[in-house]
């Protein structure tokens, strides 16, 4: 245990963020680092609660949080790093962008601010890189077996690393021009700069993982070729089909999917020449609710939007946990992201009825306010339009951040004959094998759109399934 009385002596400290004025002038990361002395005191707040819900309930990766808090407090950084890596391939990524369900499950959080788990994780990983402790871990012997990983998001990368370290020959096929999936082209640089991915890829190349970009599996290479050339296939293709809105005016210019907007900015940040990019400069921008919407707000602000409005069909969440949503559950409360701090008008209980434009370009969103009923016997809530509540929002740029439906049902899924579940995700058994022998799947393509830590966990589990399959 870190320090028995630490939680009584020290308050939670969060790392500083760059000021809004400064940070909206660039796309660099916002969060700064706590000093080493302060970090140790934060680790000291972990109180050996006996039933660490952070580890067993909160963290999808089952990170051994109380143990590495103890090690940080005792100055055993290398041991803390090893323990962190025992459950998480990319703690420097989770340490930057995880919404930290571990913290909302921290026992101290019942009546005090929880331990700063996410930031401690980040600093353990960063120290590992600074000290040169993170190097390729080359498998002891080559098995002679080959595995194709389709898709290079966190699920595919975690699986590829685990498999390469077990001695298998791993090739990652990615249809995009760079490796990383949504880490690369979804998540904005102000949350995570892309050098963070590149540093890990360097390690993975050293471990023998081969990366092939610009390859659309299913078309550029056929499922038949994959099956004949590899002993196992892992599909980690994400859930990239966006949810659309079928309302009048949908086809007006200036209405875009959030991912198109975010990916372009990430490409510009990477130094690519993007002809005629979608720009928010000088525009009235309207974005959907949720985290992807929030990433659009920050990006639109940095591009110089005139105004940003975020609309959400759901009602405004409460500021405190509802009694029916007790600790250690994930609290459904109002959250304010760094993008919200940068300025936007947030509106709740708003339904988009249609768009109007001039000269083929969107100018106005036609909306109505909705009232949500309490849950029915099955726990479902429904909404009703409030009579007479119709209103309009001025908009030159509308960004759809309405979520993702499922993995693409293209030739890869079809030709391999993969069974899908009721929501259109790839169905897998307990060993992450799909309905096709030797074909595995993991990440968002199995769960639907989720979180990076869940994708990493799924990738690791699928790697275990493949290792068992390959004997
Ligand atoms: C804008 C945005 C911001 C997000 N922010 C966060 C956050 O802050 N924290 C968090 O925890 N989660 C966040 N998420 C969710 C998180 O990014 C995903 O849950 C996670 O990336 C899923 O990982 P994955 O490996 O399953 O798939 P993905 O990351 O989607 O990667 C799938 C890859 O497969 C490739 N691919 C697909 N089909 C083929 C094919 N046929 N051949 C070759 N390649 C193919 C795709 O090009 C893609 O690169 C965010 C999501 C979005 C959209």
């Amino acid at each position: 245990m870190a320090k028995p009385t630490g939680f009584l002596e020290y308050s939670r400290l969060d790392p500083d963020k760059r000021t809004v004025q400064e940070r909206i002038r660039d796309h660099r990361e916002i969060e700064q680092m706590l000093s080493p002395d302060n970090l140790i005191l934060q680790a000291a707040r972990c109180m050996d609660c006996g039933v660490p819900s952070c580890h067993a309930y909160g963290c999808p990766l089952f990170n051994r949080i109380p143990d590495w808090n103890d090690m940080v407090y005792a100055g055993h950084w290398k041991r803390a790093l090893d323990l962190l890596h025992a459950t998480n391939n990319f703690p420097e990524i989770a340490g930057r962008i995880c919404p930290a369900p571990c913290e909302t499950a921290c026992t101290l959080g019942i009546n005090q601010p929880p331990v700063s788990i996410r930031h401690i994780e980040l600093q353990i990983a960063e120290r590992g890189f600074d000290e040169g402790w993170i190097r390729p871990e080359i498998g002891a012997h080559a098995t002679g077996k080959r595995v194709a990983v389709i898709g290079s998001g966190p699920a595919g990368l975690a699986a590829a690393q685990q498999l390469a370290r077990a001695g298998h020959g791993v090739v990652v096929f990615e249809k995009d021009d760079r490796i990383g999936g949504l880490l690369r082209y979804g998540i904005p640089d102000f949350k995570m700069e892309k050098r963070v991915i590149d540093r890990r890829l360097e390690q993975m190349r050293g471990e023998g993982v081969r990366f092939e970009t610009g390859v659309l599996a299913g078309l550029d290479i056929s499922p038949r070729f994959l099956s004949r050339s590899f002993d196992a296939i892992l599909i980690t293709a994400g859930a990239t089909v966006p949810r659309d809105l079928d309302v009048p005016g949908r086809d007006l210019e200036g209405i875009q999917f959030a991912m198109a907007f975010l990916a372009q900015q990430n490409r510009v940040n990477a130094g690519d020449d993007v002809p005629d990019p979608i720009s928010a400069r000088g525009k009235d921008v309207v974005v959907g609710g949720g985290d992807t919407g929030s990433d659009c707000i920050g990006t639109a602000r940095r591009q110089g939007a005139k105004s940003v409005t975020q609309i959400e069909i759901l009602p405004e969440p409460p500021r405190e946990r509802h009694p029916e949503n007790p600790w250690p559950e994930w609290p459904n409360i109002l959250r304010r992201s760094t993008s919200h701090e940068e300025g936007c008008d947030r509106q709740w209980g708003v339904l988009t009825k249609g768009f109007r434009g001039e000269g083929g370009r969107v100018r106005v969103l036609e909306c109505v306010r909705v009232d949500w009923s309490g849950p029915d016997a099955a726990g479902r809530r429904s909404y009703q339009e409030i009579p007479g509540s119709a209103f309009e929002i001025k908009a030159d740029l509308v960004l759809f951040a309405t979520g993702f439906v499922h993995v693409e049902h293209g030739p890869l899924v079809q030709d391999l004959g993969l069974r899908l579940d009721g929501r259109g995700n790839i169905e897998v058994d307990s060993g992450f094998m799909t309905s096709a022998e030797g074909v595995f799947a993991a990440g968002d393509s199995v769960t639907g759109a989720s979180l990076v830590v869940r994708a990493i966990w799924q990738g690791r589990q699928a790697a275990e399934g493949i290792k068992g399959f390959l004997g």
Side-chain angles (χ1 to χ4, degrees), residues 103 122 198:
E103 293 190 11
L122 172 62
D198 297 336

Side-chain angles (χ1 to χ4, degrees), residues 73 113 199 268 297 332 376 406 445:
Y73 182 65
R199 199 170 52 173
V268 171
I297 296 167
N332 298 313
D376 62 15
H406 47 58
S445 58

Side-chain angles (χ1 to χ4, degrees), residues 12 31 54 58-63 65 68 88 90-104 116-119 121-122 183 187 191-192 291 330 335 450-456:
R12 176 174 167 124
E31 195 174 279
C54 57
C59 178
L61 284 160
F62 304 102
N63 278 345
I65 296 159
W68 39 257
N88 184 359
F90 314 124
E92 70 285 6
I93 293 177
R96 284 178 166 82
I97 55 162
C98 189
C102 52
E103 293 190 11
T104 55
S116 320
I117 302 168
R118 181 184 59 77
H119 191 68
E121 175 175 17
L122 172 62
L183 299 176
I187 293 168
K191 279 165 61 180
M192 185 181 71
D291 295 341
W330 175 254
R335 292 191 164 74
S450 185
L451 293 178
V452 167
V453 275
R454 292 211 178 92
I456 296 174

